[in-house]
């Protein structure tokens, strides 16, 4: 087996997770507490907020307050979504470490998610990326619906490759490939990945697997074998996507870490701490803990 020795994990629970939890209009203090605890588990990258329109994603309306209230840990990179210059300005004022722009591989998803076409979205990102870089921030790029779109069905891998390439050319350091509705299976994931890797090397790619159909860990394993060494996870499997009906949360970070450690891959994360945090946030939200590892160890 050709597996990496080390994998980076991006914890997206406080953003991707909480943005779609129906009961998750959590106060800034509760969110900051969650982020602070996640930082003590060894995570080095936490997506903490989204500077999007509060009308569309009310759960992220208190992003500025959240960033003001967290205790910054030196070893942690705190990032946020910024769809446009307005979002970037808000993120800079809040003292963000890193930003992420987010595009899609289907026109319908792009329109529903960001009210613009794929190309218009890329044009909006150009000044965002340039300004962020001038401010010394790194920029991550997301591509959504890399295998299936909830409105258009199967997505052409070449389209994913084209959008990923465009984001890399514009200055993103990494492209996170989103199986937004969690319908991908490993074969289709690899077909897409192979198309993307003609333009973007595996070292600049990340897997962002939602677990709607229970395929996320299988997809992670396939991507690992193909050379991907960064994965996004959401503690307790929180979340979904407000623009993708039926989408479940991301793969639970606990389950991801359990898989990686079982394969002898280093993550720097203390699984027992993460499990406790996942149980506590599930209790707080009054929801089922979607981490199998979390439930087994409760
Ligand atoms: P728009 O309506 O086209 O924006 O929205 P606009 O520039 O025409 O402005 C309209 C109004 O929005 C104005 O206010 C602006 O000030 C305001 P008004 O004059 O009407 O009072 N506005 C903003 N307010 C706050 N923050 C901003 C901002 N920008 C404009 N940044 C926009 C375009 C992208 C802003 C909107 O469609 C939006 O916020 N969409 C939310 C998208 C979102 O958060 N989706 C979920 C995250 S993506 C995801 O989950 C997928 C991912 O996890 C990967 C995967 O799983 O696939 C990343
Ligand atoms: Mg997502």
């Amino acid at each position: 087996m050709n597996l990496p020795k080390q994998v980076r994990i991006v914890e997206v629970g406080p953003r991707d997770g909480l943005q779609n939890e129906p009961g998750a209009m959590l106060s800034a203090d509760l969110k900051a507490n969650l982020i602070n605890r996640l930082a003590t588990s060894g995570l080095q990258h936490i997506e903490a907020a989204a500077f999007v329109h509060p009308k569309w994603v009310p759960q992220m309306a208190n992003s500025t307050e959240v960033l003001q209230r967290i205790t910054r840990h030196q070893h942690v990179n705190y990032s946020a979504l910024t769809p446009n210059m307005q979002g970037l300005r808000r993120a800079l004022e809040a003292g963000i470490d890193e930003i992420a722009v987010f595009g899609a591989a289907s026109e319908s998803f792009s329109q529903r998610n960001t009210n613009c076409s794929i190309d218009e979205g890329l044009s909006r990102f150009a000044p965002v990326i340039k300004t962020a870089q001038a401010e010394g921030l790194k920029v991550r790029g997301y591509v959504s619906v890399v295998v299936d779109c909830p409105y258009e069905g199967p997505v052409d891998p070449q389209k994913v490759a084209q959008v990923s390439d465009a984001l890399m050319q514009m200055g993103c350091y990494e492209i996170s490939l989103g199986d937004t509705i969690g319908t991908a299976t490993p074969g289709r994931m690899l077909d897409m990945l192979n198309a993307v890797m003609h333009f973007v090397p595996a070292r600049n790619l990340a897997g962002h697997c939602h677990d709607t159909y229970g395929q996320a860990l299988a997809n992670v394993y396939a991507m690992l074998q193909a050379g991907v060494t960064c994965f996004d996870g959401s503690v307790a499997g929180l979340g979904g996507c407000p623009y993708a009906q039926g989408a479940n949360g991301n793969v639970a970070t606990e389950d991801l870490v359990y898989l990686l450690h079982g394969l002898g891959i280093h993550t720097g994360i203390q699984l027992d701490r993460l499990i406790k945090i996942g149980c506590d946030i599930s209790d707080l939200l009054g929801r089922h803990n979607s981490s199998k590892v979390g439930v087994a160890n409760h």
Side-chain angles (χ1 to χ4, degrees), residues 22 32 40-41 68 96 99 114 124 151 171 184 195 199 206 235 275:
T40 65
S41 72
Q68 282 166 348
I96 204 71
I99 61 155
T114 48
R124 280 183 193 172
Y151 313 109
F199 298 89
V235 67
I275 288 171

Side-chain angles (χ1 to χ4, degrees), residues 15-16 19 180 208 210 240-241 250:
R15 193 283 300 172
D16 204 351
Q19 79 180 6
T180 313
H208 180 99
H210 284 263
C241 177
N250 284 86

Side-chain angles (χ1 to χ4, degrees), residues 21-250:
E21 287 294 325
M25 299 297 279
L26 285 191
S27 69
D29 282 331
L30 287 172
K31 285 188 186 177
N33 184 45
L34 170 66
I35 294 166
N36 288 341
R37 290 187 67 199
L38 288 167
T40 65
S41 72
L43 282 159
Q44 295 185 5
H45 187 159
I46 302 176
E47 196 170 74
F51 292 96
V52 297
H53 197 309
K55 185 170 82 184
W56 301 120
V57 190
Q59 290 91 336
M60 292 292 115
N62 56 3
S63 287
T64 299
E65 292 75 16
V66 172
L67 283 165
Q68 282 166 348
R69 282 169 171 73
I70 56 179
T71 306
R72 302 288 179 115
H73 288 249
Q74 282 283 312
H75 71 278
V76 181
N77 198 14
Y78 299 93
S79 68
L81 296 191
T82 56
N84 53 19
M85 284 302 288
Q86 192 169 334
L88 175 63
R89 277 192 288 274
R90 292 175 58 206
L92 286 170
E93 277 165 27
I96 204 71
D97 294 334
E98 172 175 331
I99 61 155
V101 294
F102 50 104
S106 86
E107 289 296 347
S108 311
F109 193 85
S110 179
Q111 286 292 349
R112 303 266 185 129
N113 198 30
T114 48
N115 196 28
C116 64
S117 69
I118 295 172
D119 284 347
E120 283 164 350
L122 293 172
S123 316
R124 280 183 193 172
F125 298 152
V128 174
I129 296 172
K130 215 169 145 218
T131 311
Q133 287 178 331
E135 294 284 340
L137 304 189
K138 281 169 58 174
V139 184
R140 195 171 197 238
Y142 279 104
V143 182
S144 283
V145 295
V146 296
V147 173
D148 285 318
C149 167
Y151 313 109
E152 294 182 17
V155 171
D156 181 358
Q158 294 307 327
K159 190 69 204 174
V160 185
Q162 192 191 321
V163 178
S164 303
D165 184 35
L167 287 171
M168 278 305 283
Q169 303 275 353
M170 288 162 77
C172 291
Y173 74 92
E174 178 170 87
I175 307 300
S176 177
L177 297 165
D179 177 21
T180 313
I181 55 173
T183 50
T185 41
R188 297 181 68 215
M189 195 61 135
L190 288 178
D191 287 347
M192 179 277 298
L193 194 57
N194 285 330
V196 173
M197 287 194 308
H198 273 110
F199 298 89
V200 183
R203 66 174 176 279
N204 297 115
L205 294 172
H208 180 99
C209 301
H210 284 263
D211 203 28
T212 319
Y213 283 73
Q215 304 299 303
L217 282 182
N219 289 327
V220 166
Y221 189 57
M223 292 177 98
L224 264 177
Q225 287 180 306
V228 175
T229 56
C230 179
F231 293 93
D232 301 351
S234 176
V235 67
L238 295 177
C241 177
Y243 296 91
Q245 212 186 359
N248 263 29
N250 284 86

